[in-house]
Amino acid sequence: MDHSTPWPKRWDRAPRNLFDRPLVMDRSLLSAALCFWSLATNTLNLRFGMMTPTVLDMAALFGLSPLGVEVSAALVAPEAAGSFKAAWPTVAKLAGGKAKNMLNYSSFYGNFGVEDNPDDDSIAPMGEVEHAAFLLYWLCKFVFCTQANKVTLEFAHLADYLAQGGRLALGPFLLGHIYRTLHDVVTDGMKPKHSGPLWAFQFWLQAYFQELRAAVSLAGTEPLANAFAWAPRKHNTSVFCYKFFYELTERTGSQFRVCLTRPFPLFLTHDLSIIPDGGT
């Protein structure tokens, strides 16, 4: 979960991940919380009841929209001339037997990153294929944290769709991957190199259980998790975190409404308990 990769080429001018600093895994928090995660209901089962990440949490924490085109097996981005999917067969054919190695993060970055001019510090233009390749790299390495330290073509259609200006409902899609990751971790054991967006579950825990993180200053115009990423780390032991969850018997209404009361993104400022009329 430490995403401190150097970016010497043009891609360093685009966002490296959902935040603007490396993320560090809080193993004590995660290992303790996973002891209370139920695979049957996809919920954190505590003495006061059940809790689970929601689509609204994905919006408030990460700024990912619940609206847009649903990400599913039926989603097919148009294979335009500048799409990655259209370019990859040609690239793979030229690479021959080395095509699979090109999907390793370092090789992929080396092949699709755009070099700026070191003499006059001018910015080299980024082509459509390079743009889509960056988004594919970003999705695989920083968002969904794919296994085996390599890009997977499973997300190529998402990268092309985003590069072409499409609006995807990434919030529900990330939430589904969180559930799948938690299932894999609980059934297989918490391995140091486990794939999947475990980082997103960590931020969700920090949002709803502020006792287990450092105090932060929350701005109303950015994703909530940005503040957690910049906060100093609170060094709790696994035993302390486990005891906290085990003995937790109640939460207040304001503690449950952490994400629901956020003013960012803007749609969260509406009272979602009121049924809108025709003029809304």
Side-chain angles (χ1 to χ4, degrees):
M1 192 176 278
D2 185 358
H3 296 161
S4 52
T5 306
W7 290 71
K9 291 189 181 182
R10 174 65 193 285
W11 282 358
D12 65 350
R13 301 181 188 275
R16 287 171 45 184
N17 50 23
L18 292 174
F19 319 101
D20 49 11
R21 70 168 299 163
L23 310 181
V24 180
M25 178 181 287
D26 189 336
R27 295 184 181 277
S28 297
L29 175 62
L30 288 170
S31 60
L34 286 168
C35 294
F36 299 89
W37 184 258
S38 170
L39 299 179
T41 57
N42 278 336
T43 56
L44 197 67
N45 291 359
L46 302 171
R47 290 193 173 187
F48 60 80
M50 300 177 177
M51 292 181 66
T52 192
T54 67
V55 171
L56 286 180
D57 292 335
M58 300 299 102
L61 284 166
F62 315 121
L64 297 179
S65 176
L67 307 175
V69 177
E70 179 185 6
V71 181
S72 67
L75 175 66
V76 178
E79 292 194 14
S83 71
F84 182 84
K85 286 183 68 177
W88 176 249
T90 302
V91 173
K93 184 177 180 179
L94 292 173
K98 298 181 180 180
K100 289 186 177 180
N101 292 334
M102 289 180 65
L103 295 177
N104 296 332
Y105 285 138
S106 57
S107 300
F108 192 86
Y109 170 73
N111 281 283
F112 291 99
V114 179
E115 293 279 8
D116 289 340
N117 190 331
D119 298 328
D120 57 8
D121 198 32
S122 62
I123 300 175
M126 180 183 289
E128 295 179 2
V129 174
E130 288 80 15
H131 183 200
F134 161 72
L135 290 170
L136 178 58
Y137 185 102
W138 174 72
L139 287 169
C140 291
K141 185 169 185 180
F142 296 115
V143 180
F144 299 108
C145 306
T146 55
Q147 206 167 16
N149 199 36
K150 64 192 305 183
V151 167
T152 172
L153 299 179
E154 173 189 354
F155 298 109
H157 64 302
L158 301 187
D160 282 334
Y161 205 93
L162 293 171
Q164 294 166 24
R167 184 180 183 184
L168 295 177
L170 286 178
F173 190 58
L174 177 62
L175 181 60
H177 276 265
I178 292 173
Y179 286 149
R180 186 169 72 178
T181 296
L182 295 178
H183 176 276
D184 293 343
V185 172
V186 172
T187 53
D188 297 340
M190 189 173 176
K191 301 175 182 177
K193 295 294 184 180
H194 210 288
S195 63
L198 203 55
W199 58 268
F201 184 61
Q202 174 176 304
F203 280 130
W204 179 79
L205 292 170
Q206 291 175 336
Y208 285 96
F209 303 102
Q210 64 269 26
E211 299 93 331
L212 300 178
R213 59 166 169 81
V216 296
S217 177
L218 303 179
T221 56
E222 65 178 5
L224 185 59
N226 270 1
F228 303 152
W230 277 101
R233 185 178 177 185
K234 191 171 184 180
H235 295 278
N236 298 316
T237 65
S238 298
V239 173
F240 178 86
C241 294
Y242 181 88
K243 187 176 180 181
F244 170 83
F245 286 121
Y246 183 77
E247 296 178 348
L248 197 60
T249 57
E250 62 180 4
R251 301 301 272 172
T252 66
S254 61
Q255 288 171 323
F256 273 118
R257 293 191 296 269
V258 172
C259 290
L260 187 59
T261 58
R262 291 288 297 166
F264 180 88
L266 291 178
F267 67 82
L268 289 179
T269 60
H270 297 284
D271 188 345
L272 300 179
S273 65
I274 298 177
I275 300 176
D277 56 27
T280 300

